[in-house]
Amino acid sequence: MSNTTTKPSRREVRAAASDYIYNLTGQPFPNSHKVYVEGTQDNVRVGMREITLSDTFIGGTEENPVFESNAPIRVYDTSGPYTDPDFKLDVRKGLEKYREKWIESRGDTEILDSVTSQFSQQRMADEGLDHIRFEHLPKIRRAKAGKNVTQMHYARQGIVTPEMEYVAIRENMGRAKIREELLAAQHKGESFGASIPDFITPEFVRDEIARGRAVLPNNINHPETEPMIIGRNFLVKVNANIGNSSVTSSIEEEVEKMVWSTRWGADTVMDLSTGRYIHETREWVVRNSPVPIGTVPIYQALEKVNGVAEDLTWEIFRDTLIEQAEQGVDYFTIHAGVLLRYVPMTAKRVTGIVSRGGSIMAKWCLAHHKENFLYTHFEEICEILKQYDVCFSLGDGLRPGSIADANDEAQFSELRTLGELTKLAWKHDVQVFIEGPGHVPMHMIKENMEEQLKHCEEAPFYTLGPLTTDIAPGYDHFTSGIGAAQIAWYGCAMLCYVTPKEHLGLPNKEDVKEGLITYKIAAHAADLAKGHPGAQERDNALSKARFEFRWHDQFNLGLDPERAREYHDETLPQESGKIAHFCSMCGPKFCSMKITQEVRDYAKDLEARGIDPNNVGDAIEIKMVDVEAEMKAKSDEFKKTGSEIYHKAV
Amino acid sequence: MSNTTTKPSRREVRAAASDYIYNLTGQPFPNSHKVYVEGTQDNVRVGMREITLSDTFIGGTEENPVFESNAPIRVYDTSGPYTDPDFKLDVRKGLEKYREKWIESRGDTEILDSVTSQFSQQRMADEGLDHIRFEHLPKIRRAKAGKNVTQMHYARQGIVTPEMEYVAIRENMGRAKIREELLAAQHKGESFGASIPDFITPEFVRDEIARGRAVLPNNINHPETEPMIIGRNFLVKVNANIGNSSVTSSIEEEVEKMVWSTRWGADTVMDLSTGRYIHETREWVVRNSPVPIGTVPIYQALEKVNGVAEDLTWEIFRDTLIEQAEQGVDYFTIHAGVLLRYVPMTAKRVTGIVSRGGSIMAKWCLAHHKENFLYTHFEEICEILKQYDVCFSLGDGLRPGSIADANDEAQFSELRTLGELTKLAWKHDVQVFIEGPGHVPMHMIKENMEEQLKHCEEAPFYTLGPLTTDIAPGYDHFTSGIGAAQIAWYGCAMLCYVTPKEHLGLPNKEDVKEGLITYKIAAHAADLAKGHPGAQERDNALSKARFEFRWHDQFNLGLDPERAREYHDETLPQESGKIAHFCSMCGPKFCSMKITQEVRDYAKDLEARGIDPNNVGDAIEIKMVDVEAEMKAKSDEFKKTGSEIYHKAV
């Protein structure tokens, strides 16, 4: 009974992707609809998914049953317009530029006549690219000369931007009266500790961004996004990687994977494309993405020098940064901590340097025998980033690639350098977060979080897993999910997902979904463990539904309603199975959940009669022998015989 | 692009199961074969899986390449004869009775003329059952009058049984010279602390069993098993549940699931059947199982009273214990801690009593207003168990069924009672382990382990997960795998797997495999974190293979070679892709792993020239500004403006 799904051809996959992206209709999840919570600032309207629940049968007769209603549950929603049927979706045009008015009204940006990057100009002029070019290219925006347009810059001036208010509302997801509470909280002038408050106010958001403990990645050239925040005093976030390679994939598939990722909960998406048409693919992805997009610019820079790392130059890299910043990329992974002197520290590792960016920079350093140009030009990078509000995601190029290499000198040396660079970026009011490993056994994970908090001054941590064992290729979404849940509990702010294909191949659509659900579970488990207010509401609603045999509600409250229903239907396919007050495990005759009702009746009866349950009726007390004394006798007896006599098998 | 596997019909599933079990050929894993390590006692031969690895290319020319060989890796193997082609397998006859001679030679047991249980006698006499009856029923063995045949009893007399030596060899899996080391260690008379020694000796095994900190479940009527041990100073073990229900399944499918489970790493298997033919199904399962079998006898007792819990009696239950003990069940889940006075404590829970056994006993207690008969007759149960060496698995009938109910009064009250019962069982030298939850958020898991160790005097803990969130039906193998890894690290000895079908339906064969691999990962991650000697050997071998592009070795060293290969082939199907020195993620042009070789050459060169890597060449030092001072200035500036001024969006 093996899995007999036939593998579709490349052509079929691409056709399916086209079909998917050109026929998007804002399909909501079952029994769910989009609700919008308004803020106090202009046009702040935060979309959330509201799941409607059925009533609970609480008594009465068959003719006159009595029901109690269950309040709908609102959950954090990353899918943007893609789950709202009221939006007219057209991937050729891209999403509505929701944030544009906010950016414009700040008056510190200007529209450019044309793109700044030389490479972008070449691509624009190339008629051979017309057939794959995104048609409705937007105007490019940049900070006016001398202006700094980062959210951190505003935050440090005490400005609560609409983006910050948006985020505050979003993080309070479950609350019904958010707008009223926001208005009430607005002028309190609270001061904040380092922990999650019961109610997230816009001022708290501003404070965390100003402090550098959280980032709000939103390039001014990506006004299609719904603002979100990454920081350890907020909900744990999840990133999904997409991207083609020289071996496989197409633009349609990447757009499909991006939309698909946001459906299954991706808070940000990294486009790690390395093949041809990186520039064009990225434009399609950014224009259609409701979540921030991250990239690793060195990947594209390497393509521009035909894959020869030693041919990389600061000028080529710089042009790439501007190219991508003007397309709207929200954060850049920059491997500026791979210093020449750290490179030899990896020589005795089991798995050397496994980060692609890290090894590119190591190769460059060795070839030129010079310090990493990302490090030497770091402040120039800051100057670029603050003109567009691109965040740094400081890459961990020397992260361990195996359990054997975890927490070694190379890794922690680089981390300390990332800490220095964090302060340098903050000097420019540029937002920063820090990338982390990798492969780390459970007992060594905490040290990673502690070192990061210490050296990087609490800038948000963003880890890839970590994988807690190396022995399960094909299941690394899970080997890493264990570590991800743990490190997020310890304070990691965002988790980069790992799919089942990790180490083996490129993920397809199903792998993307599997990786995302795994990581949404890890993130949510951590939110519960951190005591995030409101996080448990969904657990409680689902458990209540489960207990009351409201099968549809149980499915719909879950992270994957479709799969839950499908699994249930394998055993009890009939519709009656979904309203039956029993489950397939115990069958119709006996059910543990049914008995609980009797327990409740009993407890109510005891209470009504004023009886203490600890002195219930004629409970027979079992005569417990003096166990301690007997054990001691046994032990004495053993000491006499056992310590001397070693019997062979008798 | 949905999963388009067509669901097979019930008839097809059953036919496939028949086909599978009647055509077993001892199929080994790829590049693996069974090796047997001999002990010092008679007929102690421990089967292990040895994975052969290919050579590493280390230099030379194309004509004269130079290779270095990689030592084969030995791994713990639960599959018994099912992966050894030298065995002639016939499920109609069952496995070889490997342990029979050891049991017989102890001279403390006798063969009975017929089964003792009345129910068993009825089943034997029923000709209507002939067509499903296991043909080659073995003789029944029982302790001679007044004898105690438990491994704990022997251990406490200082006897190192062959079973104990077997276990010691098995736990040292990776060691080449086990036999010599065992002989050397034999008369050392060591004393042991509470932690895992570098080398597990038979005497250490005996000591842990005598102390009650480990159990060796091996019913004298199940001589087909390969001895294994459960305790926190040994490798973490995994249990797989199988079992039909009144709704679905057949004997063929249960035997298939049992064999399949041992292939994928089940250390024990629980048969949780609740449908018709429980007795006959169990016989087939036990006779063919190389691993200990556990059951929940109250399930069958309930069937005998037509599912009416209040009709249960001690006599019916007692007869069921004897019936199952004489069939060879190795451990019984007994819910003796569900006391009448604890039942009302569950009334205000979100999910009441979710344990089936727990709710059966709760119902009985309420109906009769009497104390749980499993508690009042506990010592009589001990008397039965010690005649066959059946272990107690003390059930947690009041475990939490949701995050909301974790670690509550009901749960911990029952746990304390299980602690009392543990001491009572030990008084009879009956082996005991303790079942644990359930649904527990991450930050509340540690308390479970600590309470269990404290109240149950370090008797092994055996948990179901715990699930760290309730919001992902369809993925509860993973929501629980996170908690399982964590609690195993803290000291839990055995993990009861959870499949993706948990809460939704009965697992099929693929679900069993998915659940097992997930739990083997959790167990292994915990073994690494606990510092189990030798556990990391497999990780290191796999990572080295990965790094050296020995693709086949990477697949074969993994927990699921088939899936790893299949995933790899989706992107690079050609055989050349499996010897190519690059992977599908980066493509042929650039590869991070290739660069590491250059790093190694560079480091070697530095070393050869006596250069300190920290003072490498002309590395340009970036002029770091006085960041601290500037940050302070920023902060002062902010304090002046930010704490007073709240701008609206500008």
Side-chain angles (χ1 to χ4, degrees):
Chain A
M1 211 173 77
S2 72
N3 195 329
T4 52
T5 320
T6 346
K7 194 184 160 259
S9 70
R10 289 282 312 120
R11 181 184 293 270
E12 284 166 343
V13 171
R14 191 167 168 179
S18 279
D19 195 48
Y20 183 84
I21 67 170
Y22 292 122
N23 293 294
L24 288 163
T25 56
Q27 183 75 46
F29 281 93
N31 267 27
S32 301
H33 64 284
K34 191 81 85 173
V35 293
Y36 292 90
V37 178
E38 299 202 352
T40 67
Q41 295 197 41
D42 186 36
N43 207 27
V44 172
R45 270 179 88 236
V46 183
M48 297 177 189
R49 174 177 154 212
E50 185 168 280
I51 307 166
T52 307
L53 304 179
S54 55
D55 297 340
T56 298
F57 171 76
I58 53 164
T61 62
E62 205 166 312
E63 297 80 39
N64 292 305
V66 183
F67 291 99
E68 195 174 67
S69 69
N70 290 291
I73 295 288
R74 287 182 180 181
V75 299
Y76 194 102
D77 186 355
T78 58
S79 61
Y82 295 112
T83 50
D84 186 343
D86 292 345
F87 274 86
K88 202 176 159 327
L89 297 165
D90 183 351
V91 290
R92 289 179 196 81
K93 292 185 178 162
L95 297 178
E96 196 186 313
K97 292 180 171 42
Y98 188 82
R99 296 195 305 123
E100 198 163 42
K101 282 204 291 186
W102 302 342
I103 297 162
E104 205 165 62
S105 70
R106 287 194 275 261
D108 50 4
T109 57
E110 58 190 2
I111 300 290
L112 303 181
D113 293 336
S114 69
V115 291
T116 312
S117 147
Q118 283 183 5
F119 182 82
S120 297
Q121 286 166 9
Q122 285 164 24
R123 298 301 277 195
M124 299 289 270
D126 187 344
E127 285 173 23
L129 295 171
D130 284 352
H131 67 293
I132 56 162
R133 203 190 310 280
F134 188 79
E135 273 175 74
H136 300 266
L137 288 171
K139 299 274 186 205
I140 308 300
R141 192 180 288 274
R142 191 176 63 192
K144 285 181 182 163
K147 292 287 179 188
N148 184 332
V149 299
T150 72
Q151 293 287 322
M152 185 180 221
H153 186 68
Y154 304 135
R156 286 179 163 186
Q157 291 171 75
I159 299 171
V160 174
T161 62
E163 286 89 341
M164 296 173 199
E165 193 187 51
Y166 190 106
V167 155
I169 295 170
R170 208 171 183 188
E171 293 279 324
N172 287 312
M173 46 174 181
R175 306 282 191 126
K177 291 179 186 169
I178 288 176
R179 192 165 187 279
E180 288 73 2
E181 295 196 59
L182 283 179
L183 286 167
Q186 205 159 32
H187 292 284
K188 271 189 194 156
E190 317 93 308
S191 68
F192 305 101
S195 58
I196 311 169
D198 278 346
F199 185 75
I200 308 276
T201 63
E203 175 55 18
F204 179 74
V205 172
R206 189 202 57 70
D207 193 58
E208 291 285 295
I209 294 171
R211 167 71 181 74
R213 197 152 49 204
V215 297
L216 198 163
N218 268 323
N219 186 325
I220 55 171
N221 286 309
H222 190 192
E224 296 90 348
T225 54
E226 300 186 337
M228 54 78 70
I229 195 160
I230 302 165
R232 77 191 156 99
N233 291 328
F234 300 94
L235 291 162
V236 175
K237 303 304 186 295
V238 169
N239 172 71
N241 291 334
I242 62 166
N244 57 9
S245 80
S246 62
V247 183
T248 180
S249 210
S250 64
I251 291 181
E252 292 90 334
E253 287 163 69
E254 297 316 312
V255 174
E256 181 192 38
K257 278 187 213 158
M258 180 277 296
V259 175
W260 184 245
S261 297
T262 66
R263 182 171 185 85
W264 296 106
D267 292 287
T268 74
V269 168
M270 288 194 80
D271 177 6
L272 304 184
S273 294
T274 58
R276 297 161 72 192
Y277 312 127
I278 304 186
H279 180 90
E280 291 69 29
T281 303
R282 186 187 309 121
E283 191 73 40
W284 280 84
V285 168
V286 171
R287 297 285 74 80
N288 285 290
S289 174
V291 302
I293 298 295
T295 61
V296 187
I298 203 80
Y299 289 0
Q300 189 183 5
L302 187 71
E303 300 279 331
K304 293 179 184 175
V305 294
N306 301 310
V308 183
E310 47 273 46
D311 290 353
L312 283 167
T313 63
W314 160 242
E315 289 67 31
I316 287 167
F317 186 75
R318 185 179 177 278
D319 193 71
T320 307
L321 290 184
I322 295 170
E323 170 198 348
Q324 298 197 7
E326 294 193 349
Q327 282 189 302
V329 172
D330 301 282
Y331 62 89
F332 290 153
T333 294
I334 309 252
H335 298 91
V338 179
L339 300 193
L340 180 58
R341 65 178 180 276
Y342 302 156
V343 172
M345 293 176 184
T346 65
K348 292 203 172 133
R349 282 178 160 185
V350 169
T351 49
I353 300 177
V354 295
S355 150
R356 205 166 169 267
S359 55
I360 293 168
M361 294 321 300
K363 170 124 189 168
W364 188 92
C365 291
L366 294 189
H368 296 275
H369 209 69
K370 277 191 176 162
E371 192 52 283
N372 182 339
F373 65 79
L374 303 173
Y375 182 76
T376 56
H377 291 273
F378 193 75
E379 293 210 60
E380 287 164 83
I381 301 176
C382 294
E383 293 294 345
I384 297 168
L385 268 52
K386 68 191 187 191
Q387 294 180 65
Y388 305 94
D389 197 7
V390 180
C391 293
F392 274 113
S393 181
L394 292 178
D396 55 336
L398 303 180
R399 68 167 179 268
S402 57
I403 292 296
D405 296 341
N407 293 20
D408 72 355
E409 195 193 356
Q411 185 198 333
F412 282 152
S413 297
E414 181 187 29
L415 181 62
R416 284 188 292 270
T417 297
L418 299 185
E420 286 172 41
L421 296 173
T422 298
K423 288 176 223 166
L424 211 48
W426 284 351
K427 188 174 76 100
H428 293 267
D429 291 352
V430 175
Q431 305 189 84
V432 190
F433 51 102
I434 314 291
E435 296 186 10
H439 293 240
V440 185
M442 281 197 287
H443 63 300
M444 292 168 78
I445 290 177
K446 199 163 198 179
E447 188 184 6
N448 275 274
M449 193 66 229
E450 286 168 351
E451 288 292 302
Q452 191 274 340
L453 287 175
K454 188 168 106 189
H455 294 292
C456 303
E457 306 271 335
E458 303 187 63
F461 205 20
Y462 165 38
T463 57
L464 180 73
L467 285 74
T468 53
T469 165
D470 304 339
I471 68 164
Y475 298 83
D476 280 329
H477 57 312
F478 178 59
T479 62
S480 66
I482 296 173
Q486 210 185 319
I487 202 160
W489 171 27
Y490 297 154
C492 183
M494 184 156 79
L495 305 169
C496 182
Y497 87 165
V498 171
T499 76
K501 292 278 167 63
E502 184 74 17
H503 297 120
L504 298 170
L506 288 167
N508 62 27
K509 204 175 150 185
E510 281 307 312
D511 298 321
V512 166
K513 178 180 162 189
E514 193 78 16
L516 268 166
I517 302 257
T518 307
Y519 270 67
K520 293 305 274 189
I521 289 169
H524 184 74
D527 284 332
L528 290 177
K530 285 165 70 178
H532 191 289
Q536 203 181 309
E537 204 175 288
R538 190 174 183 175
D539 295 76
N540 293 354
L542 191 145
S543 289
K544 185 167 185 280
R546 177 177 285 154
F547 194 65
E548 292 169 0
F549 294 102
R550 289 183 280 115
W551 287 100
H552 289 292
D553 290 348
Q554 186 191 158
F555 305 153
N556 297 339
L557 284 162
L559 289 181
D560 186 353
E562 291 161 30
R563 183 173 292 182
R565 179 186 314 267
E566 180 192 314
Y567 282 0
H568 175 268
D569 289 359
E570 270 183 40
T571 318
L572 287 175
Q574 310 85 343
E575 185 55 27
S576 65
K578 279 183 281 298
I579 52 166
H581 276 216
F582 66 89
C583 58
S584 54
M585 283 75 80
C586 299
K589 221 173 197 175
F590 182 87
C591 170
S592 62
M593 295 208 180
K594 216 167 89 185
I595 286 174
T596 302
Q597 198 44 54
E598 298 177 28
V599 173
R600 288 182 179 167
D601 295 343
Y602 172 69
K604 210 176 278 177
D605 179 55
L606 285 180
E607 207 179 330
R609 293 191 292 149
I611 298 174
D612 174 3
N614 281 306
N615 285 307
V616 170
D618 55 354
I620 295 158
E621 280 299 314
I622 172 170
K623 197 176 144 283
M624 297 293 278
V625 293
D626 187 352
V627 173
E628 297 292 349
E630 294 219 13
M631 289 294 293
K632 192 173 174 308
K634 279 272 170 200
S635 165
D636 291 346
E637 178 191 320
F638 161 63
K639 275 185 197 138
K640 259 188 292 179
T641 55
S643 322
E644 291 154 29
I645 307 163
Y646 292 80
H647 300 246
K648 295 264 171 180
V650 286
Chain B
M1 209 171 78
S2 72
N3 193 327
T4 52
T5 321
T6 348
K7 195 184 159 264
S9 69
R10 288 281 314 120
R11 180 184 295 270
E12 283 165 344
V13 171
R14 191 167 168 177
S18 279
D19 196 48
Y20 182 84
I21 66 171
Y22 292 121
N23 293 294
L24 288 163
T25 55
Q27 182 75 46
F29 280 92
N31 267 27
S32 302
H33 65 283
K34 191 81 88 174
V35 293
Y36 292 90
V37 178
E38 298 204 352
T40 66
Q41 295 198 42
D42 187 35
N43 206 28
V44 171
R45 269 179 90 237
V46 182
M48 296 177 190
R49 174 178 154 211
E50 185 169 279
I51 307 166
T52 307
L53 305 180
S54 55
D55 297 341
T56 297
F57 171 76
I58 54 165
T61 62
E62 207 166 311
E63 296 80 38
N64 291 306
V66 183
F67 291 99
E68 194 174 69
S69 69
N70 290 291
I73 295 288
R74 287 183 179 181
V75 299
Y76 194 101
D77 187 354
T78 58
S79 61
Y82 294 111
T83 50
D84 186 343
D86 292 344
F87 274 86
K88 203 177 158 325
L89 297 165
D90 182 351
V91 291
R92 289 178 195 82
K93 291 186 178 161
L95 297 177
E96 196 187 311
K97 292 182 172 39
Y98 187 83
R99 297 194 305 121
E100 197 162 43
K101 281 205 293 188
W102 302 341
I103 297 162
E104 204 165 62
S105 69
R106 287 193 275 261
D108 51 5
T109 57
E110 59 191 1
I111 300 290
L112 303 181
D113 293 336
S114 69
V115 291
T116 312
S117 147
Q118 282 184 6
F119 182 81
S120 298
Q121 286 166 8
Q122 285 165 23
R123 298 300 277 195
M124 301 288 269
D126 187 344
E127 286 173 22
L129 296 171
D130 284 351
H131 66 294
I132 56 163
R133 204 189 311 278
F134 188 79
E135 273 176 74
H136 299 266
L137 288 172
K139 299 276 185 201
I140 308 300
R141 191 179 287 276
R142 192 176 61 193
K144 285 181 182 162
K147 293 287 178 188
N148 184 333
V149 298
T150 71
Q151 293 287 323
M152 185 179 219
H153 186 68
Y154 303 136
R156 285 178 164 185
Q157 292 171 74
I159 299 171
V160 174
T161 62
E163 286 89 340
M164 295 172 200
E165 192 188 51
Y166 190 106
V167 156
I169 295 170
R170 209 172 184 188
E171 293 279 324
N172 287 312
M173 48 183 176
R175 308 281 193 127
K177 293 180 183 170
I178 288 176
R179 193 165 185 279
E180 287 74 0
E181 296 197 58
L182 282 179
L183 285 166
Q186 205 160 32
H187 290 285
K188 273 189 194 157
E190 317 94 306
S191 69
F192 305 101
S195 58
I196 310 167
D198 277 346
F199 186 76
I200 306 276
T201 62
E203 174 57 16
F204 179 74
V205 172
R206 189 204 57 69
D207 193 58
E208 291 284 294
I209 294 171
R211 167 71 182 75
R213 198 153 48 205
V215 297
L216 198 163
N218 268 324
N219 187 326
I220 55 170
N221 287 308
H222 190 191
E224 296 89 348
T225 55
E226 298 186 338
M228 54 77 71
I229 194 159
I230 302 166
R232 77 192 156 99
N233 291 329
F234 300 95
L235 291 163
V236 175
K237 303 303 187 295
V238 169
N239 172 71
N241 291 336
I242 62 167
N244 58 8
S245 81
S246 61
V247 182
T248 181
S249 210
S250 64
I251 290 180
E252 292 91 333
E253 287 163 70
E254 297 316 312
V255 174
E256 181 192 37
K257 278 188 214 160
M258 180 277 295
V259 174
W260 184 245
S261 297
T262 66
R263 182 170 185 86
W264 296 107
D267 293 286
T268 74
V269 168
M270 288 194 79
D271 178 5
L272 304 184
S273 294
T274 58
R276 297 162 72 193
Y277 312 127
I278 303 185
H279 179 89
E280 291 69 29
T281 303
R282 186 186 310 121
E283 191 73 40
W284 279 84
V285 167
V286 172
R287 296 286 72 82
N288 285 289
S289 174
V291 302
I293 297 294
T295 61
V296 187
I298 202 81
Y299 289 0
Q300 189 184 7
L302 188 71
E303 299 279 331
K304 292 179 183 175
V305 294
N306 300 310
V308 183
E310 47 273 44
D311 290 353
L312 283 166
T313 63
W314 160 243
E315 288 68 30
I316 287 167
F317 186 76
R318 184 179 179 278
D319 192 71
T320 307
L321 290 183
I322 295 170
E323 170 198 348
Q324 298 197 7
E326 295 192 348
Q327 283 189 302
V329 173
D330 301 282
Y331 63 88
F332 290 152
T333 295
I334 309 251
H335 298 91
V338 179
L339 302 192
L340 181 56
R341 65 179 180 276
Y342 301 156
V343 173
M345 293 176 185
T346 65
K348 291 202 173 134
R349 282 177 160 186
V350 169
T351 48
I353 301 176
V354 295
S355 150
R356 204 165 171 267
S359 56
I360 293 168
M361 293 321 300
K363 171 122 188 168
W364 189 92
C365 290
L366 294 188
H368 295 276
H369 210 70
K370 278 191 177 164
E371 193 51 282
N372 181 339
F373 64 80
L374 302 174
Y375 182 77
T376 56
H377 290 272
F378 192 76
E379 294 210 61
E380 286 164 83
I381 301 175
C382 294
E383 293 294 345
I384 296 168
L385 268 52
K386 68 192 188 191
Q387 294 179 66
Y388 305 93
D389 197 8
V390 180
C391 292
F392 274 111
S393 181
L394 293 177
D396 56 335
L398 303 180
R399 68 168 178 267
S402 57
I403 293 295
D405 295 341
N407 294 18
D408 71 354
E409 195 193 357
Q411 185 198 334
F412 283 152
S413 297
E414 181 187 28
L415 181 62
R416 285 188 292 271
T417 297
L418 299 185
E420 285 173 42
L421 296 173
T422 299
K423 288 175 224 168
L424 211 48
W426 285 351
K427 188 173 74 103
H428 293 267
D429 291 351
V430 174
Q431 305 189 85
V432 190
F433 52 102
I434 312 291
E435 296 185 11
H439 293 240
V440 185
M442 282 197 286
H443 63 300
M444 292 167 79
I445 289 177
K446 198 162 198 180
E447 188 183 7
N448 275 273
M449 192 67 229
E450 286 168 352
E451 289 291 302
Q452 192 273 343
L453 287 175
K454 188 169 108 190
H455 295 292
C456 303
E457 306 271 335
E458 302 185 63
F461 205 22
Y462 165 38
T463 58
L464 180 72
L467 284 73
T468 54
T469 165
D470 304 340
I471 68 165
Y475 298 83
D476 279 329
H477 56 315
F478 178 58
T479 63
S480 67
I482 296 173
Q486 210 186 320
I487 202 161
W489 172 26
Y490 298 154
C492 182
M494 185 156 77
L495 305 169
C496 182
Y497 88 165
V498 171
T499 78
K501 292 279 168 63
E502 184 74 16
H503 296 122
L504 297 170
L506 288 168
N508 63 28
K509 204 175 151 185
E510 282 307 312
D511 299 321
V512 166
K513 178 181 162 188
E514 193 77 17
L516 268 165
I517 302 258
T518 307
Y519 270 69
K520 293 305 274 188
I521 290 169
H524 184 74
D527 284 332
L528 290 178
K530 284 166 71 179
H532 191 288
Q536 203 181 308
E537 205 174 290
R538 190 174 183 176
D539 295 77
N540 293 354
L542 192 145
S543 289
K544 184 167 186 282
R546 177 177 285 154
F547 194 65
E548 292 169 358
F549 294 102
R550 289 184 279 116
W551 287 100
H552 288 293
D553 290 349
Q554 187 192 157
F555 304 152
N556 297 340
L557 284 162
L559 289 180
D560 185 354
E562 290 161 30
R563 184 173 292 183
R565 178 183 317 265
E566 182 194 313
Y567 282 179
H568 175 269
D569 289 359
E570 269 183 41
T571 318
L572 287 176
Q574 311 83 343
E575 184 55 28
S576 65
K578 279 183 282 294
I579 51 165
H581 274 215
F582 65 88
C583 59
S584 55
M585 283 75 79
C586 298
K589 221 175 198 172
F590 183 87
C591 170
S592 63
M593 295 205 180
K594 218 167 88 185
I595 286 174
T596 301
Q597 197 44 54
E598 301 178 25
V599 172
R600 287 183 178 167
D601 295 344
Y602 172 68
K604 212 176 276 175
D605 179 54
L606 284 181
E607 207 179 333
R609 295 191 290 148
I611 298 174
D612 175 2
N614 281 308
N615 284 307
V616 171
D618 55 354
I620 295 158
E621 279 298 315
I622 171 168
K623 195 176 145 281
M624 296 294 278
V625 293
D626 187 351
V627 173
E628 297 291 349
E630 294 219 15
M631 289 297 292
K632 192 174 173 308
K634 279 272 170 200
S635 164
D636 291 345
E637 178 191 321
F638 162 63
K639 274 183 197 141
K640 261 189 289 179
T641 57
S643 321
E644 290 154 32
I645 306 162
Y646 293 81
H647 301 246
K648 293 267 169 177
V650 287

